[in-house]
Amino acid sequence: MKKLVFLTGAGISAESGITTFRDAGGLWEQYPVEAVASIEGYWRDPRLVINFYNERRHQLLEVEPNKAHQLVAALQQHFETTVVTQNIDNLHERAGSTDVIHLHGELMKATSTDEPNDPSQLVTLTPDHLDIAYGDKAKDGSQLRPFIVWFGEAVPMIEPAAEAVSKADIFVIVGTSLNVYPAAGLVHYANPSAQIYLIDPAPNVPSNMGIHVIAKRATEGMADLYDLLTK
């Protein structure tokens, strides 16, 4: 069975109603990125940051996976499929994807402030216990914080992601501008023999990169790709 690897970004979840950071009207216009998405912002005002992600969690419960998420999961019937996502939501998992690498953390998890990447410190939040309160403690006694990789922090899952991409027969990029590093650099790990597809309504890639472009939004583009890969 051929290996299919996806790299997904905010564009795939935007059609479910998840507010993105970068688009017009996005979260970065409401909150300075350095305030809510950097480790410096967390140290400066942990209450603000904790409450910001509490709000994002409540929003997540109000949305559902869309057709693009569902088609990514459906391709597991035809390929050995890995999803590498920049998104912190759980919409891929809710759609049925079983092998998901989260580069930037997971919104529905909390962790230790002192040892954020220690698996033993992880706590899975539930719909009836969504919020982290200032004063809630992790197992090691430090403040419980969102399990998010913020600007200024290492991206521990980038190496497993790069390894997955290097083994792909088919590499598909959906809903990401390829402007956010280190995730954007993953395309350079693709095997020279791999087929590479980009689904983006406004693609901006050099023609000499050998990328097959589907210039559509995620739901429409994934429908085209699904037909292409399964016919």
Short mmCIF file of all heavy atoms in Angstrom, two decimals, residues 72-120:
data_model
loop_
_atom_site.label_atom_id
_atom_site.label_comp_id
_atom_site.label_asym_id
_atom_site.label_seq_id
_atom_site.Cartn_x
_atom_site.Cartn_y
_atom_site.Cartn_z
N VAL A 72 -9.94 13.28 3.72
CA VAL A 72 -8.60 12.89 4.18
C VAL A 72 -8.68 11.55 4.92
O VAL A 72 -7.89 10.63 4.67
CB VAL A 72 -8.00 13.98 5.09
CG1 VAL A 72 -6.74 13.47 5.79
CG2 VAL A 72 -7.67 15.24 4.29
N ALA A 73 -9.66 11.43 5.81
CA ALA A 73 -9.82 10.18 6.57
C ALA A 73 -10.22 9.03 5.66
O ALA A 73 -9.75 7.90 5.84
CB ALA A 73 -10.86 10.38 7.67
N ALA A 74 -11.06 9.29 4.68
CA ALA A 74 -11.53 8.23 3.78
C ALA A 74 -10.40 7.64 2.96
O ALA A 74 -10.44 6.45 2.58
CB ALA A 74 -12.62 8.77 2.85
N LEU A 75 -9.37 8.41 2.69
CA LEU A 75 -8.25 7.90 1.90
C LEU A 75 -7.43 6.86 2.65
O LEU A 75 -6.59 6.18 2.06
CB LEU A 75 -7.36 9.06 1.43
CG LEU A 75 -7.96 9.87 0.25
CD1 LEU A 75 -7.22 11.17 0.04
CD2 LEU A 75 -7.93 9.02 -1.03
N GLN A 76 -7.69 6.71 3.95
CA GLN A 76 -7.05 5.62 4.71
C GLN A 76 -7.45 4.25 4.17
O GLN A 76 -6.73 3.27 4.39
CB GLN A 76 -7.44 5.70 6.19
CG GLN A 76 -6.88 6.91 6.90
CD GLN A 76 -7.39 7.04 8.33
OE1 GLN A 76 -6.65 7.42 9.22
NE2 GLN A 76 -8.65 6.73 8.56
N GLN A 77 -8.57 4.18 3.48
CA GLN A 77 -9.01 2.91 2.91
C GLN A 77 -8.18 2.52 1.69
O GLN A 77 -8.20 1.37 1.25
CB GLN A 77 -10.49 3.00 2.49
CG GLN A 77 -11.42 3.43 3.62
CD GLN A 77 -11.34 2.49 4.81
OE1 GLN A 77 -11.34 1.27 4.65
NE2 GLN A 77 -11.27 3.07 6.01
N HIS A 78 -7.45 3.49 1.14
CA HIS A 78 -6.70 3.26 -0.09
C HIS A 78 -5.18 3.40 0.07
O HIS A 78 -4.42 2.91 -0.77
CB HIS A 78 -7.16 4.25 -1.17
CG HIS A 78 -8.63 4.22 -1.42
ND1 HIS A 78 -9.22 3.32 -2.30
CD2 HIS A 78 -9.65 4.95 -0.90
CE1 HIS A 78 -10.52 3.52 -2.32
NE2 HIS A 78 -10.82 4.51 -1.49
N PHE A 79 -4.76 4.08 1.12
CA PHE A 79 -3.34 4.37 1.33
C PHE A 79 -2.98 4.25 2.80
O PHE A 79 -3.85 4.38 3.67
CB PHE A 79 -3.00 5.80 0.87
CG PHE A 79 -3.28 6.09 -0.57
CD1 PHE A 79 -4.51 6.62 -0.95
CD2 PHE A 79 -2.34 5.84 -1.55
CE1 PHE A 79 -4.79 6.90 -2.28
CE2 PHE A 79 -2.59 6.10 -2.88
CZ PHE A 79 -3.82 6.64 -3.25
N GLU A 80 -1.70 4.03 3.06
CA GLU A 80 -1.19 4.18 4.42
C GLU A 80 -1.03 5.68 4.66
O GLU A 80 -0.16 6.31 4.07
CB GLU A 80 0.16 3.46 4.55
CG GLU A 80 0.76 3.54 5.94
CD GLU A 80 2.14 2.92 6.00
OE1 GLU A 80 2.53 2.18 5.07
OE2 GLU A 80 2.85 3.20 6.99
N THR A 81 -1.89 6.23 5.46
CA THR A 81 -2.05 7.69 5.53
C THR A 81 -1.58 8.27 6.86
O THR A 81 -1.96 7.78 7.93
CB THR A 81 -3.53 8.08 5.30
OG1 THR A 81 -3.97 7.54 4.06
CG2 THR A 81 -3.70 9.59 5.29
N THR A 82 -0.77 9.31 6.77
CA THR A 82 -0.37 10.09 7.93
C THR A 82 -0.77 11.54 7.70
O THR A 82 -0.56 12.07 6.60
CB THR A 82 1.15 10.01 8.17
OG1 THR A 82 1.52 8.66 8.43
CG2 THR A 82 1.58 10.89 9.35
N VAL A 83 -1.34 12.17 8.71
CA VAL A 83 -1.68 13.58 8.64
C VAL A 83 -0.74 14.35 9.55
O VAL A 83 -0.68 14.10 10.75
CB VAL A 83 -3.14 13.84 9.08
CG1 VAL A 83 -3.46 15.34 9.01
CG2 VAL A 83 -4.11 13.05 8.21
N VAL A 84 0.01 15.27 8.97
CA VAL A 84 0.81 16.22 9.73
C VAL A 84 0.03 17.53 9.71
O VAL A 84 -0.26 18.06 8.63
CB VAL A 84 2.20 16.43 9.10
CG1 VAL A 84 3.00 17.48 9.89
CG2 VAL A 84 2.97 15.12 9.03
N THR A 85 -0.35 18.03 10.86
CA THR A 85 -1.16 19.24 10.87
C THR A 85 -0.55 20.35 11.71
O THR A 85 0.04 20.10 12.77
CB THR A 85 -2.61 18.95 11.34
OG1 THR A 85 -3.39 20.14 11.18
CG2 THR A 85 -2.67 18.49 12.79
N GLN A 86 -0.69 21.56 11.21
CA GLN A 86 -0.30 22.75 11.98
C GLN A 86 -1.45 23.18 12.90
O GLN A 86 -1.26 24.07 13.73
CB GLN A 86 0.04 23.89 11.02
CG GLN A 86 1.25 23.61 10.14
CD GLN A 86 1.36 24.62 9.01
OE1 GLN A 86 0.76 24.48 7.97
NE2 GLN A 86 2.14 25.67 9.25
N ASN A 87 -2.61 22.57 12.72
CA ASN A 87 -3.79 22.98 13.48
C ASN A 87 -3.80 22.35 14.87
O ASN A 87 -3.38 21.21 15.05
CB ASN A 87 -5.06 22.58 12.72
CG ASN A 87 -5.14 23.24 11.36
OD1 ASN A 87 -4.56 24.31 11.15
ND2 ASN A 87 -5.84 22.62 10.43
N ILE A 88 -4.34 23.09 15.82
CA ILE A 88 -4.42 22.58 17.19
C ILE A 88 -5.78 21.97 17.49
O ILE A 88 -5.99 21.42 18.57
CB ILE A 88 -4.09 23.69 18.21
CG1 ILE A 88 -5.05 24.87 18.10
CG2 ILE A 88 -2.64 24.15 18.04
CD1 ILE A 88 -4.87 25.93 19.18
N ASP A 89 -6.71 22.04 16.53
CA ASP A 89 -8.03 21.44 16.75
C ASP A 89 -7.95 19.93 16.58
O ASP A 89 -6.92 19.38 16.16
CB ASP A 89 -9.07 22.05 15.80
CG ASP A 89 -8.74 21.82 14.32
OD1 ASP A 89 -8.67 20.65 13.91
OD2 ASP A 89 -8.57 22.81 13.59
N ASN A 90 -9.06 19.25 16.90
CA ASN A 90 -9.12 17.79 16.79
C ASN A 90 -10.05 17.34 15.68
O ASN A 90 -10.58 16.23 15.72
CB ASN A 90 -9.54 17.18 18.13
CG ASN A 90 -10.93 17.65 18.58
OD1 ASN A 90 -11.58 18.46 17.90
ND2 ASN A 90 -11.39 17.15 19.72
N LEU A 91 -10.24 18.17 14.66
CA LEU A 91 -11.20 17.85 13.61
C LEU A 91 -10.75 16.68 12.74
O LEU A 91 -11.59 15.91 12.25
CB LEU A 91 -11.48 19.09 12.76
CG LEU A 91 -12.17 20.24 13.51
CD1 LEU A 91 -12.38 21.44 12.59
CD2 LEU A 91 -13.49 19.79 14.12
N HIS A 92 -9.45 16.51 12.53
CA HIS A 92 -8.99 15.33 11.78
C HIS A 92 -9.36 14.05 12.53
O HIS A 92 -9.87 13.09 11.93
CB HIS A 92 -7.47 15.39 11.57
CG HIS A 92 -7.04 16.26 10.44
ND1 HIS A 92 -7.43 16.05 9.13
CD2 HIS A 92 -6.25 17.36 10.42
CE1 HIS A 92 -6.89 16.97 8.35
NE2 HIS A 92 -6.17 17.77 9.11
N GLU A 93 -9.11 14.04 13.82
CA GLU A 93 -9.43 12.84 14.61
C GLU A 93 -10.94 12.60 14.63
O GLU A 93 -11.39 11.45 14.51
CB GLU A 93 -8.91 13.00 16.05
CG GLU A 93 -7.39 12.90 16.17
CD GLU A 93 -6.68 14.23 16.05
OE1 GLU A 93 -7.29 15.21 15.54
OE2 GLU A 93 -5.51 14.32 16.46
N ARG A 94 -11.70 13.66 14.78
CA ARG A 94 -13.16 13.50 14.81
C ARG A 94 -13.71 13.04 13.47
O ARG A 94 -14.77 12.41 13.42
CB ARG A 94 -13.80 14.82 15.25
CG ARG A 94 -13.66 15.06 16.76
CD ARG A 94 -13.89 16.50 17.15
NE ARG A 94 -15.22 16.99 16.79
CZ ARG A 94 -15.61 18.26 16.93
NH1 ARG A 94 -14.75 19.15 17.44
NH2 ARG A 94 -16.82 18.63 16.59
N ALA A 95 -12.99 13.31 12.39
CA ALA A 95 -13.41 12.84 11.07
C ALA A 95 -13.01 11.39 10.83
O ALA A 95 -13.47 10.77 9.87
CB ALA A 95 -12.82 13.73 9.98
N GLY A 96 -12.12 10.85 11.68
CA GLY A 96 -11.74 9.45 11.55
C GLY A 96 -10.28 9.18 11.24
O GLY A 96 -9.87 8.03 11.14
N SER A 97 -9.47 10.22 11.07
CA SER A 97 -8.04 10.00 10.83
C SER A 97 -7.40 9.42 12.08
O SER A 97 -7.65 9.89 13.20
CB SER A 97 -7.34 11.31 10.45
OG SER A 97 -7.73 11.73 9.17
N THR A 98 -6.57 8.40 11.90
CA THR A 98 -6.02 7.67 13.04
C THR A 98 -4.54 7.91 13.29
O THR A 98 -4.03 7.60 14.36
CB THR A 98 -6.25 6.15 12.87
OG1 THR A 98 -5.65 5.73 11.64
CG2 THR A 98 -7.74 5.83 12.83
N ASP A 99 -3.83 8.46 12.30
CA ASP A 99 -2.40 8.74 12.46
C ASP A 99 -2.18 10.23 12.21
O ASP A 99 -2.02 10.66 11.07
CB ASP A 99 -1.57 7.89 11.49
CG ASP A 99 -0.07 8.06 11.69
OD1 ASP A 99 0.34 8.71 12.68
OD2 ASP A 99 0.70 7.57 10.83
N VAL A 100 -2.23 11.02 13.29
CA VAL A 100 -2.16 12.47 13.18
C VAL A 100 -0.99 12.98 14.01
O VAL A 100 -0.88 12.69 15.20
CB VAL A 100 -3.47 13.14 13.65
CG1 VAL A 100 -3.39 14.66 13.46
CG2 VAL A 100 -4.68 12.57 12.91
N ILE A 101 -0.11 13.74 13.37
CA ILE A 101 1.02 14.39 14.05
C ILE A 101 0.68 15.87 14.18
O ILE A 101 0.52 16.57 13.18
CB ILE A 101 2.32 14.21 13.25
CG1 ILE A 101 2.70 12.73 13.15
CG2 ILE A 101 3.46 15.01 13.90
CD1 ILE A 101 3.87 12.47 12.21
N HIS A 102 0.55 16.35 15.41
CA HIS A 102 0.24 17.76 15.66
C HIS A 102 1.54 18.52 15.89
O HIS A 102 2.19 18.36 16.91
CB HIS A 102 -0.66 17.89 16.89
CG HIS A 102 -2.08 17.53 16.65
ND1 HIS A 102 -3.03 18.45 16.24
CD2 HIS A 102 -2.74 16.35 16.76
CE1 HIS A 102 -4.21 17.86 16.11
NE2 HIS A 102 -4.05 16.58 16.43
N LEU A 103 1.89 19.38 14.93
CA LEU A 103 3.13 20.14 15.06
C LEU A 103 3.06 21.21 16.15
O LEU A 103 4.05 21.49 16.82
CB LEU A 103 3.47 20.82 13.74
CG LEU A 103 3.92 19.92 12.59
CD1 LEU A 103 4.14 20.75 11.34
CD2 LEU A 103 5.18 19.14 12.95
N HIS A 104 1.88 21.80 16.31
CA HIS A 104 1.77 22.97 17.19
C HIS A 104 0.98 22.68 18.45
O HIS A 104 0.51 23.61 19.12
CB HIS A 104 1.17 24.14 16.42
CG HIS A 104 2.02 24.60 15.28
ND1 HIS A 104 1.53 25.27 14.18
CD2 HIS A 104 3.36 24.46 15.06
CE1 HIS A 104 2.53 25.53 13.34
NE2 HIS A 104 3.65 25.04 13.86
N GLY A 105 0.84 21.41 18.79
CA GLY A 105 0.16 21.04 20.02
C GLY A 105 -1.31 20.71 19.78
O GLY A 105 -1.78 20.66 18.64
N GLU A 106 -2.03 20.48 20.89
CA GLU A 106 -3.42 20.05 20.81
C GLU A 106 -4.25 20.86 21.79
O GLU A 106 -3.99 20.87 23.00
CB GLU A 106 -3.52 18.56 21.12
CG GLU A 106 -2.77 17.68 20.12
CD GLU A 106 -2.86 16.21 20.45
OE1 GLU A 106 -4.00 15.69 20.47
OE2 GLU A 106 -1.81 15.60 20.71
N LEU A 107 -5.28 21.50 21.27
CA LEU A 107 -6.12 22.37 22.07
C LEU A 107 -6.83 21.64 23.20
O LEU A 107 -7.03 22.21 24.28
CB LEU A 107 -7.15 23.04 21.15
CG LEU A 107 -8.06 24.10 21.76
CD1 LEU A 107 -7.24 25.24 22.38
CD2 LEU A 107 -9.02 24.64 20.71
N MET A 108 -7.18 20.38 22.97
CA MET A 108 -7.93 19.63 23.97
C MET A 108 -7.03 18.94 25.00
O MET A 108 -7.47 18.04 25.70
CB MET A 108 -8.84 18.61 23.29
CG MET A 108 -10.00 19.23 22.52
SD MET A 108 -11.11 20.24 23.55
CE MET A 108 -11.83 18.96 24.60
N LYS A 109 -5.78 19.40 25.09
CA LYS A 109 -4.88 18.86 26.10
C LYS A 109 -4.23 20.01 26.88
O LYS A 109 -4.09 21.12 26.38
CB LYS A 109 -3.80 17.98 25.46
CG LYS A 109 -4.35 16.68 24.89
CD LYS A 109 -3.27 15.79 24.33
CE LYS A 109 -3.86 14.49 23.78
NZ LYS A 109 -2.82 13.61 23.19
N ALA A 110 -3.85 19.71 28.11
CA ALA A 110 -3.13 20.65 28.96
C ALA A 110 -1.86 19.96 29.45
O ALA A 110 -1.75 18.72 29.41
CB ALA A 110 -4.00 21.08 30.14
N THR A 111 -0.92 20.76 29.90
CA THR A 111 0.36 20.20 30.31
C THR A 111 1.02 21.07 31.37
O THR A 111 0.49 22.10 31.79
CB THR A 111 1.28 20.02 29.08
OG1 THR A 111 2.43 19.26 29.46
CG2 THR A 111 1.73 21.36 28.51
N SER A 112 2.18 20.66 31.77
CA SER A 112 2.96 21.36 32.79
C SER A 112 3.64 22.60 32.21
O SER A 112 4.15 22.57 31.09
CB SER A 112 4.02 20.39 33.33
OG SER A 112 5.15 21.07 33.84
N THR A 113 3.66 23.66 32.98
CA THR A 113 4.43 24.84 32.59
C THR A 113 5.93 24.54 32.61
O THR A 113 6.68 24.99 31.74
CB THR A 113 4.11 26.03 33.52
OG1 THR A 113 2.78 26.48 33.22
CG2 THR A 113 5.08 27.17 33.32
N ASP A 114 6.37 23.77 33.59
CA ASP A 114 7.80 23.50 33.73
C ASP A 114 8.31 22.50 32.70
O ASP A 114 9.44 22.62 32.21
CB ASP A 114 8.11 22.98 35.14
CG ASP A 114 8.01 24.06 36.20
OD1 ASP A 114 7.90 25.25 35.82
OD2 ASP A 114 8.03 23.73 37.39
N GLU A 115 7.48 21.48 32.39
CA GLU A 115 7.91 20.41 31.47
C GLU A 115 6.80 20.18 30.44
O GLU A 115 6.14 19.14 30.44
CB GLU A 115 8.20 19.13 32.24
CG GLU A 115 9.35 19.23 33.23
CD GLU A 115 10.71 19.38 32.56
OE1 GLU A 115 10.81 19.08 31.35
OE2 GLU A 115 11.66 19.79 33.25
N PRO A 116 6.58 21.13 29.53
CA PRO A 116 5.41 21.03 28.65
C PRO A 116 5.43 19.84 27.70
O PRO A 116 4.36 19.39 27.26
CB PRO A 116 5.45 22.36 27.87
CG PRO A 116 6.86 22.85 27.99
CD PRO A 116 7.33 22.38 29.33
N ASN A 117 6.60 19.31 27.37
CA ASN A 117 6.68 18.21 26.41
C ASN A 117 6.88 16.85 27.07
O ASN A 117 7.14 15.87 26.37
CB ASN A 117 7.80 18.48 25.41
CG ASN A 117 7.52 19.73 24.59
OD1 ASN A 117 6.41 19.92 24.10
ND2 ASN A 117 8.52 20.59 24.45
N ASP A 118 6.72 16.79 28.38
CA ASP A 118 6.81 15.52 29.10
C ASP A 118 5.47 14.82 28.99
O ASP A 118 4.47 15.30 29.53
CB ASP A 118 7.15 15.79 30.57
CG ASP A 118 7.27 14.51 31.39
OD1 ASP A 118 6.93 13.42 30.87
OD2 ASP A 118 7.69 14.60 32.57
N PRO A 119 5.40 13.67 28.28
CA PRO A 119 4.11 12.99 28.08
C PRO A 119 3.41 12.64 29.39
O PRO A 119 2.17 12.59 29.43
CB PRO A 119 4.49 11.72 27.31
CG PRO A 119 5.79 12.03 26.66
CD PRO A 119 6.50 12.96 27.60
N SER A 120 4.17 12.43 30.46
CA SER A 120 3.54 12.05 31.72
C SER A 120 2.76 13.22 32.35
O SER A 120 1.97 13.01 33.27
CB SER A 120 4.60 11.54 32.71
OG SER A 120 5.43 12.60 33.17
#
